[in-house]
Amino acid sequence: MSLQTRLMTAVIGFVSLILIIVAVITSATLGKTMEDQLDQKLSEYAHQLVRISQAVAPSSATAQNVLASSPAPPVGVLFVVSSPVTGFSGVVAKSEDGDEFAGTLDPLTGAQLAEIAVSLKDTRVATVTLTDLGSYRVMALPTSNGLIVVTGLPRDEIQNQLTQLLTVIALATIGGLILLALTTAITIRVSLRPLRAVALTATRVANQQLDRGEVTITERVPAYEADPRTETGLVGASLNKLLDHVNTSLASRQKNEERMRRFVADASHELRTPLASIRGYSELSLRALRRTDSQAEAPEVIESTTSSLERIQAQSLRMTRLVEDLLLLARLDEGRELVYSTVDLAQLALEGLSDARPTAADHHWVIEVPDEPVTIVGDAGRMHQVVANLLANARTHTPAGTTVTLSVAQEGQEAVLRVHDDGPGIDPAIRDELFARFARGDSSRARQTGGTGLGLAIAKAIVEGHHGLITVTSEPGDTTFTVRIPMNPATTGDAPAEA
């Protein structure tokens, strides 16, 4: 059963119940009022007939004789006299030619008189249903001459009015319920329209292929159906917000997948080069050894084999460094590999610059550190690697004569390390992907332009492992890498452990 059907059933059911209760109460109240009025009228007629009956002798006291000496009673009046001499007799006034006060007096049958006597056995006023006459309200009163006078008035008028009232109420109720059903159906349908829009939008989204490829969810609940000021509109607004989050997540997933494919391709390329070199030099050495026929060729073979083994060793070391870098990134992604202790960042910067200066004597190296130690809680070895990678990046991607400045400072609750150079700057096209894995300023992968492209990615992972932030700003003649590390151990989320 749909929500609309349930709501309509509930509303119409409750309203019907209320209308039925009102109709019952109304008819009961009106019936009681009319019964009281009939009893009052009956009492007046009864006392009037008692006065008339007292003037008649008991020996001749019959209903016909009593009424003969009085004006004709209204149509429908029932009159019974009980005399110890003449016994029971009774008449009922019948209409003649539609005149309410002119008619005939028809005698009551013995069965009708018996029904009256039974109804008045233990009471003075009663309601009795007489055969062939209908329902009557009767009252028995004694007279001073020993008679018992029973007067009755018909209840047909009350029943007719109650029947008309109930008919009107029933027709009004049915009409009102039909109007209520139409109004409720229209109101509920309009009110639930935003929910139908939500269902249609969710169905269209569910029919999309979201498990592969580049996915963009463009389906949204229309703005006019997603008014957060209404309950149903709030559902649509919430679904739109959810779809925005899902769309962002899918875009992020697609970007991660593309980055992973690029990562696998780059890693495969980086590993293929040293493997190809190792294979080539090993085959060359084996071929040279097989072709050695004389003692005279031995020195040349030894020299060639030695050179090949040296190249094999160099490529093996290069491949080892690449694999170690990849393993380090994987461990940093898992939150492992960092061993916390107290680290003097100023001292670490001095050592890093001392290591970098001999590798690029054609650069100008400047160090700016405060006199007081700038201590953080972190991994000394990994922070040294951050400094080394940033300095190596500045050395590799700037020409001879470039000034590289390494500075350390304390700013508030953060230790700040900056590497600045006045080189040509970073290409804006690659600036956003600078900290991605295997990112390079030169896509040719030439050895002269740097290493594997993992240096800045490792630096970023280490800094983020310390709950810090690394950023870069660059323009021609002014490039600065900035590393910010929280100094308060509580902000790192890790308990410092002296190593």
Side-chain angles (χ1 to χ4, degrees):
M1 184 182 293
S2 66
L3 177 60
Q4 179 175 348
T5 303
R6 290 198 299 268
L7 288 175
M8 289 186 61
T9 302
V11 171
I12 295 175
F14 281 121
V15 173
S16 300
L17 179 62
I18 293 173
L19 291 177
I20 291 173
I21 294 174
V22 170
V24 171
I25 294 175
T26 301
S27 60
T29 302
L30 179 61
K32 181 66 169 58
T33 301
M34 295 180 68
E35 291 284 355
D36 292 342
Q37 292 176 352
L38 183 64
D39 286 347
Q40 183 179 359
K41 186 176 180 181
L42 177 62
S43 177
E44 294 175 358
Y45 279 133
H47 286 87
Q48 181 180 354
L49 291 175
V50 165
R51 288 193 297 271
I52 295 174
S53 299
Q54 289 176 348
V56 179
S59 60
S60 61
T62 64
Q64 292 280 0
N65 293 336
V66 172
L67 293 179
S69 60
S70 67
V75 174
V77 173
L78 180 146
F79 181 60
V80 177
V81 175
S82 175
S83 171
V85 179
T86 61
F88 269 107
S89 63
V91 294
V92 61
K94 292 292 186 69
S95 122
E96 185 176 277
D97 298 330
D99 190 347
E100 181 179 0
F101 295 99
T104 62
L105 298 175
D106 294 345
L108 296 177
T109 65
Q112 293 171 338
L113 292 173
E115 292 170 349
I116 295 173
V118 171
S119 66
L120 294 173
K121 183 177 181 180
D122 299 319
T123 183
R124 292 176 57 247
V125 181
T127 300
V128 59
T129 300
L130 300 178
T131 305
D132 298 331
L133 292 180
S135 180
Y136 271 78
R137 186 72 170 168
V138 294
M139 176 182 290
L141 294 176
T143 63
S144 58
N145 58 354
L147 302 178
I148 296 178
V149 177
V150 177
T151 308
L153 290 177
R155 297 180 66 253
D156 294 343
E157 184 177 356
I158 296 176
Q159 293 177 340
N160 291 337
Q161 290 187 7
L162 289 178
T163 300
Q164 292 177 0
L165 175 64
L166 292 176
T167 302
V168 172
I169 291 176
L171 294 176
T173 300
I174 294 173
L177 290 178
I178 294 174
L179 181 61
L180 175 65
L182 293 176
T183 305
T184 304
I186 295 173
T187 303
I188 293 176
R189 188 171 183 83
V190 172
S191 300
L192 295 182
R193 187 171 58 190
L195 291 182
R196 287 191 290 272
V198 169
L200 292 175
T201 302
T203 301
R204 290 195 296 269
V205 172
N207 291 331
Q208 287 187 249
Q209 292 292 335
L210 305 178
D211 57 341
R212 64 179 66 90
E214 185 173 355
V215 179
T216 301
I217 301 178
T218 58
E219 297 290 345
R220 295 292 185 276
V221 179
Y224 60 87
E225 302 286 10
D227 187 357
R229 294 173 297 179
T230 64
E231 291 80 358
T232 53
L234 183 60
V235 176
S238 300
L239 179 61
N240 284 345
K241 186 175 181 180
L242 174 63
L243 292 177
D244 290 339
H245 287 316
V246 172
N247 194 49
T248 302
S249 300
L250 290 173
S252 178
R253 185 212 67 180
Q254 180 65 21
K255 186 175 181 181
N256 289 336
E257 288 182 355
E258 293 176 355
R259 184 177 299 168
M260 182 60 65
R261 286 194 292 268
R262 187 168 63 249
F263 175 82
V264 172
D266 290 341
S268 301
H269 179 88
E270 293 294 338
L271 290 173
R272 183 178 63 180
T273 301
L275 286 173
S277 298
I278 291 173
R279 179 180 178 183
Y281 282 116
S282 62
E283 290 178 354
L284 182 62
S285 299
L286 291 173
R287 191 179 301 118
L289 290 173
R290 293 193 190 101
R291 289 190 304 181
T292 303
D293 298 329
S294 64
Q295 204 65 8
E297 296 179 358
E300 296 179 2
V301 172
I302 293 174
E303 182 180 355
S304 175
T305 303
T306 302
S307 176
S308 296
L309 291 175
E310 289 175 351
R311 297 302 303 163
I312 289 173
Q313 183 184 28
Q315 294 298 331
S316 298
L317 292 174
R318 176 187 170 193
M319 188 166 57
T320 300
R321 286 194 299 272
L322 174 60
V323 173
E324 288 178 348
D325 287 345
L326 292 175
L327 180 60
L328 173 61
L329 283 172
R331 289 178 175 175
L332 289 173
D333 288 342
E334 295 175 359
R336 299 163 53 192
E337 196 64 23
L338 297 179
V339 179
Y340 289 97
S341 62
T342 302
V343 180
D344 184 354
L345 202 58
Q347 181 63 32
L348 190 145
L350 289 170
E351 294 174 358
L353 192 68
S354 298
D355 294 338
R357 183 178 283 115
T359 62
D362 54 355
H363 283 60
H364 302 291
W365 301 92
V366 179
I367 183 73
E368 296 178 357
V369 296
D371 295 334
E372 299 295 329
V374 179
T375 58
I376 62 171
V377 175
D379 190 317
R382 296 307 172 196
M383 288 305 301
H384 186 279
Q385 190 173 1
V386 171
V387 176
N389 287 352
L390 293 177
L391 293 176
N393 184 73
R395 179 192 70 232
T396 304
H397 296 285
T398 56
T402 300
T403 300
V404 179
T405 303
L406 176 60
S407 62
V408 175
Q410 179 179 344
E411 297 180 1
Q413 295 298 316
E414 293 180 329
V416 182
L417 182 145
R418 292 185 177 90
V419 177
H420 173 270
D421 68 73
D422 55 2
I426 302 172
D427 185 357
I430 66 167
R431 190 179 303 162
D432 294 337
E433 297 291 332
L434 197 60
F435 295 100
R437 297 169 188 186
F438 294 107
R440 281 205 188 92
D442 182 4
S443 60
S444 65
R445 302 181 184 275
R447 292 297 99 211
Q448 294 83 356
T449 60
T452 61
L454 295 176
L456 291 180
I458 292 175
K460 181 176 183 290
I462 294 173
V463 171
E464 290 180 348
H466 288 78
H467 301 276
L469 179 67
I470 182 170
T471 57
V472 60
T473 57
S474 180
E475 58 184 31
D478 184 9
T479 299
T480 303
F481 285 84
T482 303
V483 175
R484 296 180 178 273
I485 304 292
M487 299 183 65
N488 187 353
T491 62
T492 65
D494 300 290
E498 294 292 339

